[in-house]
Amino acid sequence: MLSKTYIPSIDVDALPCGIVSVDENGKINFVNNYICHLLGYSNEELLEKKVELLFTISAKIFYQTHFYPLVKLHNKAEEVFFSLMGKDGSHVPVIGYATKTDEYICCVFVPVRERRKYEQEILQSKKTAEAAIEKNEALTQVKNELEFQLAESDRQLTMLRQFNEEYIELNRIISHDLHEPVRKLMVHIDRLFVEENITKEKIESSLQKMMEFCTRLRQLTISLQQYVSVDVLQEAMVNIDLQQVIKKCFDIVATEDGYTGAELRIENLQEVEGYPSQIERLFCEIIGNSFKFRNEDVPLKINIRSTIFSDNIYKEIKDKYKYIDFVRIEITDNGPGFPAEYNEYIFGLFKRVRLDKNGLGFGLALCKRIVERHKGSITSKSVNGTTSFNIVLPLKQTTL
Amino acid sequence: MKPNIFERNNIKVIGRGSTPMVFAHGFGCDQNMWRYVYPAFQNDYKIVLFDYTGSGKSDLNAYNAERYANLNGYAEDVLDVCKATDSKGCIFVGHSVSAIIGLLASVKEPEYFSKLILIGPSPRYINELPEYTGGFEKKDIEELLLTMESNYIGWANYLAPAIMKNGERPELAGELAESFCSTDPVIARKFAEATFLSDNRADLKNVKHSSLIMQCSEDIIAPTAVGEYMGKHLANSTLRIMKATGHCPHMSAPEETIQIMKEYLDNVNMN
């Protein structure tokens, strides 16, 4: 026959560990003597207080971000390291355990002062070892950087090839486009010299034509010079007030065009680093485009706004990340737009969508070149009578 | 090869609605934290749950220390998830640091968002007195990093100095997921740094979408003053002070959380 086992009734206050119970609102509803003694509080000083009172600041964050979610989701937590804070501000390293019922979370804290010292030693040696590895990592990094340089060169080679192709194209078209007005000029000059008894009307008509050809020649040479100078122009990089530049460009375009019904709305424009004459040219072209292709039935409205966001500067190489600030400038107008399939095409050199309009098919190619030289990008979108250009530029060229 | 975002971010898509509602967990946890809240919305929305790369059951091998040293790296995760689940114009629900991550993503690619629900957001945790009170000093954050470190030495043979990839030790991943939601000490530390050392105050003015700021009472991580700061600097925002205390109302007071979210959504939809 078994003798009756003696079961002592255990007094929680006599247990060699701190016991804290916390209700759903995070308030302490029970503490035992051990924890009061450990932290230097009386029982009354802790009851009904937020459990955070027991923690150091970092432990408070840890409790909210790790401990509480863990207990809430798994109904328990084991072996969690914490720093408790005594009434006098002293830190007490503890290991915590917790179980959760519907009404409360019961936590047990055991001080680990001695054990903590070992752990810190171990952590320290781990850090020393890691430092050595990091040195090695620096080497790996150098290797990676080198690889990047190679890839960068590769990218530049591609760009060079594109430029070469463009120059060949440019050369071919210019030798025709430049040549043609010159030839016609000569025809008229010849007529003026050779034709006898030439009437006043004929002289005037010839002069008129000659003027037109000269104007076209002038336009071509100026455009050409600007197109080429994107790559050769020696100009200082400065901070550009976009608001100012865009207003100026709008005025230039409006004066040139003679159309006075246009409305420009700009919001939130920032400063951006760049080559001032190029940025000005860029916006003259974009705004000029809105004027040139405006809808004749309604007054032209141009909206320009910008947003700053961060993006990775690495576009070509995988797994390289460096986030810097970019500005996205959205230019929207109420023009008739163009079919969506031309989104890319319009940025090609001498590519024209509207053959009924005068133009060289030059402006947007120039824009693309300017934007790319600023390590940015330009895209267009035309939906339901709204045409928009998105220009993305790094806020600071020097951080690249 | 393009990464499989569904696997990388452990994406779950549930619900019977068509409007996407994307839930983004905070630092120290994973998508499980939403389990008391999302069921209330699954009849009306398409619910998208995910774990950030490096958290929960995401693919740890896809973790890139450079990318995720910056909250913008996490914002790219949000955008990747939106794209992978075809969630344009989503209602974004972000807890804690994810609120800020969501804001960054919304500025970068606005068309993926329609409304932002921000639970316990803070644009800056560290004080810059007298202008700004974030609630913490730099040394508090350093201590937090130490606390986290100490909590990871318990498990695994982490004494080996090499940063081990869990790919080589798959048994670790499973085992650890049961303890903390952030399984890798190096990743958790980086996430903590990106979270607590960032300063995103300047980004607030770039946010265009309608937003709801859910501010708990007595939240030591995002104090009420911070919620008010958010409300003041976020155009188009509604600030709601909750009865719930602490930093995790979606776990401690899901009913109130759900109710405030619904009120906001009804309100915005009416106007």
Side-chain angles (χ1 to χ4, degrees):
Chain A
M1 195 164 153
L2 290 168
S3 64
K4 197 179 170 194
T5 315
Y6 171 69
I7 304 171
S9 70
I10 292 175
D11 177 6
V12 282
D13 280 328
L15 288 178
C17 60
I19 297 175
V20 180
S21 163
V22 184
D23 70 14
E24 262 296 320
N25 297 316
K27 283 190 180 144
I28 298 171
N29 57 17
F30 177 83
V31 279
N32 72 346
N33 275 351
Y34 187 96
I35 193 109
C36 293
H37 183 73
L38 183 70
L39 302 179
Y41 287 105
S42 71
N43 198 296
E44 293 72 36
E45 281 175 306
L46 293 178
L47 285 177
E48 289 300 305
K49 297 286 159 41
K50 303 288 285 186
V51 65
E52 274 102 341
L53 180 65
L54 306 178
F55 303 141
T56 61
I57 293 181
S58 63
K60 287 176 189 175
I61 306 178
F62 192 73
Y63 177 81
Q64 289 289 344
T65 56
H66 286 77
F67 193 79
Y68 177 74
L70 186 62
V71 177
K72 182 80 186 173
L73 296 175
H74 299 287
N75 292 324
K76 64 169 190 176
E78 290 175 350
E79 252 187 285
V80 178
F81 173 80
F82 262 110
S83 271
L84 300 186
M85 192 159 78
K87 193 179 176 183
D88 60 0
S90 59
H91 290 198
V92 184
V94 295
I95 292 287
Y97 292 76
T99 51
K100 184 181 151 292
T101 69
D102 285 342
E103 286 97 37
Y104 61 89
I105 296 171
C106 181
C107 308
V108 171
F109 294 112
V110 182
V112 285
R113 290 196 181 90
E114 284 309 309
R115 205 192 150 87
R116 181 76 193 129
K117 287 179 194 159
Y118 297 133
E119 287 181 349
Q120 271 168 343
E121 283 294 314
I122 293 167
L123 269 178
Q124 192 49 48
S125 39
K126 182 176 79 71
K127 277 188 184 150
T128 316
E130 268 177 357
I133 284 176
E134 222 160 82
K135 270 191 189 162
N136 229 330
E137 271 180 2
L139 275 178
T140 320
Q141 207 175 344
V142 171
K143 200 176 130 219
N144 289 342
E145 298 295 331
L146 266 176
E147 273 172 19
F148 167 67
Q149 292 297 341
L150 264 179
E152 175 68 16
S153 310
D154 187 66
R155 196 172 70 87
Q156 284 178 349
L157 276 173
T158 313
M159 265 171 65
L160 256 175
R161 186 171 49 75
Q162 284 170 349
F163 284 162
N164 267 334
E165 284 166 3
E166 275 175 7
Y167 280 127
I168 292 166
E169 182 78 346
L170 194 68
N171 189 36
R172 191 180 64 77
I173 296 171
I174 296 313
S175 61
H176 173 262
D177 280 23
L178 278 180
H179 211 94
E180 199 49 25
V182 174
R183 190 187 61 78
K184 287 178 178 164
L185 262 178
M186 287 174 73
V187 170
H188 283 278
I189 294 170
D190 204 42
R191 179 157 114 184
L192 290 179
F193 270 122
V194 176
E195 214 166 299
E196 283 172 29
N197 301 327
I198 187 164
T199 63
K200 191 170 173 252
E201 287 78 34
K202 275 196 170 176
I203 294 176
E204 267 173 13
S205 146
S206 272
L207 284 174
Q208 183 75 37
K209 289 275 182 213
M210 285 162 75
M211 195 61 198
E212 275 170 28
F213 299 137
C214 283
T215 310
R216 183 164 174 78
L217 264 176
R218 203 172 118 81
Q219 279 173 347
L220 272 172
T221 46
I222 290 172
S223 297
L224 227 152
Q225 187 260 329
Q226 267 157 350
Y227 190 81
V228 172
S229 69
V230 173
D231 289 316
V232 295
L233 199 72
Q234 293 295 316
E235 191 180 10
M237 184 78 80
V238 294
N239 271 330
I240 298 165
D241 181 346
L242 281 180
Q243 180 123 352
Q244 217 178 336
V245 170
I246 287 173
K247 275 187 181 155
K248 184 178 166 193
C249 293
F250 180 82
D251 291 341
I252 293 172
V253 172
T255 312
E256 267 177 21
D257 188 281
Y259 173 65
T260 52
E263 185 194 334
L264 173 70
R265 275 182 42 196
I266 40 188
E267 36 172 313
N268 288 333
L269 291 181
Q270 276 87 9
E271 279 200 344
V272 62
E273 210 170 47
Y275 300 105
S277 70
Q278 293 185 9
I279 296 292
E280 192 177 314
R281 184 61 204 252
L282 169 67
F283 286 104
C284 278
E285 286 296 339
I286 297 281
I287 295 170
N289 231 55
S290 293
F291 271 75
K292 201 192 300 179
F293 301 110
R294 67 177 175 264
N295 192 337
E296 297 292 350
D297 305 332
V298 286
L300 172 63
K301 282 194 179 131
I302 305 174
N303 284 313
I304 304 183
R305 63 171 199 175
S306 74
T307 320
I308 293 182
F309 66 100
S310 298
D311 205 0
N312 187 7
I313 55 166
Y314 293 100
K315 301 288 174 214
E316 313 288 329
I317 303 169
K318 256 189 81 190
D319 297 334
K320 282 298 281 180
Y321 292 90
K322 185 184 173 190
Y323 289 94
I324 64 159
D325 281 344
F326 284 81
V327 60
R328 176 176 51 230
I329 308 157
E330 293 167 73
I331 303 113
T332 314
D333 69 31
N334 58 348
F338 48 84
E341 61 263 35
Y342 289 111
N343 277 339
E344 303 253 334
Y345 174 86
I346 55 169
F347 295 108
L349 191 55
F350 300 118
K351 299 293 164 67
R352 294 167 59 192
V353 176
R354 294 275 298 270
L355 298 174
D356 56 325
K357 294 276 180 182
N358 280 334
L360 304 169
F362 207 64
L364 291 178
L366 180 67
C367 289
K368 185 165 185 256
R369 195 165 213 199
I370 291 172
V371 171
E372 281 174 355
R373 202 183 173 213
H374 285 82
K375 300 188 175 63
S377 62
I378 180 167
T379 51
S380 69
K381 203 166 60 180
S382 201
V383 211
N384 307 331
T386 335
T387 310
S388 59
F389 285 97
N390 263 2
I391 298 173
V392 174
L393 294 170
L395 211 54
K396 292 274 170 217
Q397 296 285 328
T398 39
T399 51
L400 292 176
Chain B
M1 207 186 77
K2 276 206 160 180
N4 180 338
I5 305 298
F6 271 83
E7 274 175 28
R8 190 191 72 184
N9 292 105
N10 186 26
I11 297 177
K12 305 262 159 58
V13 181
I14 26 194
R16 283 181 277 276
S18 58
T19 308
M21 188 181 264
V22 177
F23 286 87
H25 67 83
F27 160 71
C29 210
D30 64 18
Q31 58 179 278
N32 272 318
M33 67 169 10
W34 297 112
R35 71 182 188 208
Y36 305 106
V37 171
Y38 77 77
F41 296 93
Q42 62 184 6
N43 277 339
D44 303 314
Y45 295 91
K46 176 180 100 178
I47 308 289
V48 177
L49 300 167
F50 72 98
D51 297 335
Y52 285 113
T53 309
S55 297
K57 294 192 170 63
S58 66
D59 176 7
L60 295 196
N61 289 314
Y63 183 82
N64 179 306
E66 255 177 26
R67 168 167 171 165
Y68 297 103
N70 190 307
L71 293 185
N72 281 291
Y74 288 97
E76 283 197 62
D77 268 22
V78 170
L79 291 169
D80 288 343
V81 168
C82 286
K83 286 170 193 169
T85 57
D86 204 9
S87 297
K88 268 199 181 164
C90 79
I91 293 157
F92 176 86
V93 187
H95 173 236
S96 196
V97 66
S98 264
I100 300 300
I101 293 170
L103 294 185
L104 293 173
S106 81
V107 172
K108 196 166 179 186
E109 297 198 40
E111 67 271 26
Y112 282 96
F113 303 86
S114 63
K115 298 167 197 77
L116 308 166
I117 295 178
L118 316 171
I119 304 176
S122 171
R124 172 75 169 158
Y125 293 93
I126 295 175
N127 295 331
E128 271 176 42
L129 301 172
E131 307 87 55
Y132 180 79
T133 310
F136 300 98
E137 294 300 330
K138 188 109 192 267
K139 70 166 181 27
D140 301 327
I141 304 304
E142 275 154 15
E143 266 180 49
L144 169 71
L145 298 178
L146 264 178
T147 303
M148 288 176 50
E149 210 160 35
S150 308
N151 271 302
Y152 288 108
I153 58 170
W155 51 261
N157 300 325
Y158 182 55
L159 303 183
I163 296 165
M164 49 192 175
K165 287 265 183 192
N166 279 318
E168 293 154 25
R169 305 198 50 192
E171 77 280 6
L172 263 187
E175 187 184 310
L176 298 173
E178 293 305 314
S179 56
F180 287 112
C181 307
S182 41
T183 49
D184 184 301
V186 179
I187 294 174
R189 188 193 166 92
K190 282 268 176 203
F191 199 2
E193 284 171 348
T195 300
F196 290 104
L197 303 179
S198 290
D199 184 354
N200 295 96
R201 284 174 292 170
D203 296 299
L204 301 183
K205 65 174 186 307
N206 296 325
V207 177
K208 299 281 190 305
H209 298 92
S210 160
S211 61
L212 168 68
I213 301 160
M214 295 173 71
Q215 171 68 49
C216 288
S217 318
E218 299 173 55
D219 181 352
I220 74 128
I221 294 188
T224 307
V226 170
E228 283 163 357
Y229 181 95
M230 291 283 302
K232 201 171 129 198
H233 290 84
L234 268 186
N236 252 327
S237 66
T238 310
L239 173 66
R240 289 288 302 266
I241 309 283
M242 301 181 70
K243 285 199 223 62
T245 58
H247 188 56
C248 303
H250 51 309
M251 286 192 275
S252 66
E255 295 83 13
E256 191 192 2
T257 306
I258 291 164
Q259 195 200 332
I260 292 180
M261 284 171 66
K262 285 193 167 166
E263 280 170 17
Y264 163 74
L265 291 171
D266 287 347
N267 243 322
V268 193
N269 287 340
M270 279 207 320
N271 300 327

